[in-house]
Structures are given as structure tokens and as C-alpha cells.
Amino acid sequence: MLKFLINYLLDEMPECKYFLKVTDDPKLLLRYLMNVRPPMKLSPDFLKVQDEYLSHERELRGIIDGEALPGKISLWQGDITRLKVDAIVNAANSKLLGCFVPGHNCIDNAIHSAAGLQLRDECNIIMTAQGHDEPTGCAKITRGYNLPAKYVIHTVGPIVDGELTPRHCEELARCYRSCLELAESRGLKSIAFCCISTGVFGFPNDEAAHIAVNTVREFSPHMKVVFNVFKDYDRELYIKELTNND
């Protein structure tokens, strides 16, 4: 499967053959090629093999039932692409097409890589119809494709380059509200949030956790909410916030 997928993408993008000199790991090579491929028509043969391969990888990673986690609001540390919930939230950029940096370790790249190339194509359809970049604090929903989650909700968080301002804080809170409103409008029963705007977007982790927990509690959604973290540092911040707000 890997050989077929890699050869197909290299035939499409012969300019990417230099990746063969960058890595000899076929799984990493496939991810690089998927990351850089622009949205364009996919053949049924490719999709069939890609979906079979990604489904196999999904089972190898292991699926976590987010709805079975204790409490109406839960905290889970690990890879968000393993969570089986109605929707996971993607911290997207304003183009909403995923991360084009080969093998980048951002959540946008991880979600698109695990979902498959159909996700970028659906995002492209949405953004072409919209005709402009996605504003900060809004949300869009797509299918989850090869993820355990049924849907992906994409939101663009604020970028903090310098001092944190009240506007940054309100925009981040709006991201959480927009995702919850969209999920409720679709009748979803569970949602998993990543740490929106932290990392490369520069939002301080402690304040981001405080805003996330407070906004969800104030919204009081009629659904299961999972806060997903990857780092130990974020886990401790969310434990503190969830304990303080009990």
C-alpha cells in the first residue's frame, strides 16, 4: 500500500522526488507527500488504498472512546487523532487548508495526515465558496474521514506576537463558543478541544487554559466535552483550572 501511494503522489508531483533523499522511512515519506499536495482531484483507486492504509494505522495507534471518559467535562492527554468523539477541534490557520510544511508537528498537520487527503479537498471547497480567509474566532465543520471522530471543527485562534491583550483573550473565547455553537447546531453529543492558539500561535498556555475552561463552563453545553492536551505542562494547567472551577 505504501509503495502504491508514494508512487502515485510522486507521479503527480515529480518535483517532490527530492524527498527520497530526505528520508528513507516510507511512512514519513508518504506523510511529506500528503502534506505538500495541493487540493486537486483524487482517483478512486488512490482513495481506496489510502483509506485502507490510514484505517490500518488508526487501529495500530489505538482508539480512545472519548465519550466513556469520566465526567461531563473530561481531560485526556495524548494524540487527539485517537479520540472517538463526534467532533475534534483543529487549530487551523486562516487558509483552512491544513499545514503544508512536510512532517510538521503541529496539530493541523497531524489531523490532516490522519484524516486523509479528502479533508484538504473538502476544506478547499468551503474556502473557495467563501472567497476569503477564515476570520479569527469563527468555526467550520468537515467530515472526519479516516479519523475515529465523525467530524472535524476547524477554528482559527488569535496569534499573540508580543503582549497579550484583552482582544486576544476575547478572540480565543470566541473560538470555543463558535465551536460549541456549531456542534450544538449539528446535534453533536461530544467534542474534544485541543489547546487552541498555544504553541506557534504564541498564546500563553496558562491563560489559554483558564479561558478554555471558563468559556466552556459559562456556555454550559448539552454535550460531552473533552479537553485534550499533549504536554505534561498543559495537563497540570488544566487539572488546576478544572479543580478551581468545580
Side-chain angles (χ1 to χ4, degrees):
M1 288 188 291
L2 275 169
K3 184 177 181 180
F4 171 84
L5 296 171
I6 289 169
N7 287 339
Y8 180 97
L9 295 176
L10 285 175
D11 285 344
E12 275 193 329
M13 304 178 294
E15 70 277 10
C16 291
K17 287 185 177 179
Y18 73 92
F19 282 148
L20 295 169
K21 299 180 181 179
V22 176
T23 179
D24 57 2
D25 182 340
K27 290 187 177 183
L28 192 57
L29 176 58
L30 176 62
R31 179 166 177 170
Y32 285 179
L33 293 168
M34 290 174 67
N35 293 162
V36 301
R37 185 185 188 273
M40 53 185 173
K41 187 175 180 180
L42 290 156
S43 79
D45 288 343
F46 176 88
L47 290 177
K48 181 180 178 180
V49 178
Q50 178 213 242
D51 292 351
E52 185 178 349
Y53 169 74
L54 292 178
S55 295
H56 176 69
E57 291 297 298
R58 180 184 64 213
E59 298 303 318
L60 285 179
R61 288 194 303 273
I63 296 172
I64 303 298
D65 186 351
E67 294 185 357
L69 296 172
K72 183 181 178 183
I73 298 178
S74 302
L75 175 64
W76 185 75
Q77 183 177 15
D79 180 356
I80 199 170
T81 68
R82 296 177 62 197
L83 279 174
K84 183 181 179 182
V85 286
D86 279 352
I88 60 172
V89 172
N90 178 28
N93 59 52
S94 61
K95 300 298 182 184
L96 223 71
L97 296 180
C99 173
F100 283 85
V101 180
H104 194 239
N105 63 357
C106 68
I107 194 165
D108 197 13
N109 190 299
I111 288 174
H112 274 264
S113 297
L117 290 173
Q118 302 99 311
L119 182 56
R120 177 167 286 166
D121 283 355
E122 185 176 354
C123 287
N124 184 56
I125 291 169
I126 291 170
M127 296 306 291
T128 299
Q130 179 165 286
H132 58 80
D133 287 356
E134 182 73 353
T136 301
C138 296
K140 293 288 190 296
I141 190 168
T142 62
R143 291 174 54 193
Y145 296 100
N146 293 290
L147 294 163
K150 297 177 185 176
Y151 300 98
V152 180
I153 295 179
H154 310 259
T155 189
V156 181
I159 298 174
V160 180
D161 185 14
E163 184 180 353
L164 184 68
T165 67
R167 179 177 178 178
H168 291 135
C169 295
E170 172 51 33
E171 287 176 336
L172 183 59
R174 196 187 317 146
C175 286
Y176 285 91
R177 289 195 296 268
S178 295
C179 291
L180 290 168
E181 289 168 358
L182 182 53
E184 288 206 335
S185 73
R186 294 296 186 98
L188 304 189
K189 297 180 180 179
S190 56
I191 186 171
F193 284 102
C194 62
C195 301
I196 303 168
S197 273
T198 58
V200 295
F201 274 35
F203 209 106
N205 296 56
D206 54 350
E207 188 62 28
H210 178 72
I211 291 169
V213 172
N214 278 4
T215 304
V216 169
R217 288 194 181 277
E218 289 170 4
F219 191 94
S220 189
H222 302 293
M223 70 184 77
K224 170 80 173 186
V225 175
V226 178
F227 288 114
N228 169 252
V229 299
F230 196 74
K231 299 177 181 178
D232 291 342
Y233 176 62
D234 287 316
R235 182 192 63 198
E236 296 304 317
L237 290 174
Y238 273 87
I239 289 173
K240 178 182 177 181
E241 288 297 330
L242 290 168
T243 302
N244 288 344
N245 282 276
D246 276 341

